[in-house]
Amino acid sequence: MITRHFGIPVTSPGAILRRERDLGTPLGQETAEVLRSGGLVSDKIIIELIEDWLRLHGGHGFVFDGFPRTLPQAESLMSMLTKLRTALDLVIWLEASEKTVRDRITGRLQCGECGFTTSSSSAQFANRPVCPYCDGRLERRNDDDLGVLQTRLQEFRTKTEPLGAFYKKVSVLHRIDGNRDRDAVFSEISRLIEDKTPK
Ligand code: AMP
């Protein structure tokens, strides 16, 4: 939604790694089991992915989805931005209850081609799971499983939650109630982005 509305490129290590897995590349094969089991991929691999992505696309504004997820990743991001002479404008922390997360992953459908995400409860896609943007197949993710969710939540609590304090110190953190519907959440995020956009 951010890319379509604001034209800002968005990248996500999770999406890159799923694509590598589907293509059967060495990186995809090396990380597939960690993704399936809900663990976090090593900081070294993730940081290299982001550095490569920034070399190709960085410089004119970007959004990272699902990065950083650990303190070493957050510290590396700061060094990358310093080298690019780019400020970190916003850190958006989407807060969602365990029930919300459970409900969302149970119904999540994702396009294998472009990453468009929707829900199987959306009448439009229930019978014809085809992406409205690129005609790719809408599929369930193999880590969207209630058993795997416990590992993902545990990884979040131990490795990602401490980032709240890290970003509070640099005063760029905005906590948003992610339990609301997609339009309400997107309009709050849009306001934050608009406030940061030069007029
Ligand atoms: P996501 O698509 O953001 O839900 O990520 C899916 C999976 O990719 C995660 O459960 C991790 O296995 C891996 N992953 C994505 N982003 C990161 C990250 N920043 N650090 C470590 N592993 C990640």
Side-chain angles (χ1 to χ4, degrees):
M1 286 172 100
I2 291 176
T3 300
R4 277 194 293 277
H5 191 84
F6 293 100
I8 303 174
V10 176
T11 193
S12 133
I16 296 174
L17 291 172
R18 279 188 290 280
R19 158 111 348 183
E20 296 282 321
R21 179 201 59 202
D22 294 345
L23 292 171
T25 65
L27 175 63
Q29 290 176 11
E30 185 188 342
T31 53
E33 181 51 27
V34 181
L35 259 71
R36 196 209 53 76
S37 65
L40 288 188
V41 171
S42 76
D43 288 333
K44 182 173 179 299
I45 290 180
I46 297 290
I47 290 164
E48 280 174 13
L49 276 184
I50 294 292
E51 283 173 341
D52 285 349
W53 188 89
L54 277 174
R55 256 192 296 278
L56 285 173
H57 304 94
H60 305 290
F62 38 83
V63 172
F64 294 127
D65 170 12
F67 173 85
R69 268 173 149 113
T70 66
L71 279 172
Q73 292 179 20
E75 282 157 0
S76 295
L77 176 62
M78 289 310 209
S79 326
M80 291 179 223
L81 295 179
T82 304
K83 277 194 207 133
L84 284 172
R85 296 199 172 81
T86 297
L88 181 62
D89 292 321
L90 277 176
V91 173
I92 297 173
W93 190 285
L94 280 171
E95 298 193 309
S97 70
E98 195 169 326
K99 177 177 182 318
T100 301
V101 174
R102 223 180 307 122
D103 292 349
R104 294 216 176 128
I105 70 162
T106 314
R108 176 156 60 181
L109 288 176
Q110 202 161 45
C111 174
E113 298 298 319
C114 73
F116 168 73
T117 302
T118 184
S119 160
S120 55
S121 61
S122 159
Q124 191 186 346
F125 302 112
N127 298 323
R128 190 171 177 272
V130 173
C131 176
Y133 295 100
C134 74
D135 281 345
R137 262 187 72 75
L138 298 177
E139 294 165 334
R140 304 247 5 243
R141 277 170 46 168
N142 74 347
D143 58 344
D144 275 350
D145 168 287
L146 291 181
V148 175
L149 175 63
Q150 289 315 316
T151 309
R152 288 161 73 186
L153 289 173
Q154 188 57 25
E155 290 285 66
F156 172 76
R157 288 184 198 113
T158 53
K159 298 179 183 162
T160 307
E161 210 149 40
L163 293 185
F166 178 90
Y167 283 118
K168 204 168 169 203
K169 260 190 267 159
V170 281
S171 309
V172 284
L173 183 69
H174 292 263
R175 290 182 183 268
I176 289 188
D177 178 4
N179 296 295
R180 296 164 303 160
D181 68 30
R182 169 194 286 250
D183 289 342
V185 172
F186 183 62
S187 91
E188 195 170 343
I189 293 176
S190 297
R191 267 197 303 278
L192 291 171
I193 295 176
E194 279 155 12
D195 285 349
K196 294 284 169 187
T197 311
K199 306 273 163 359

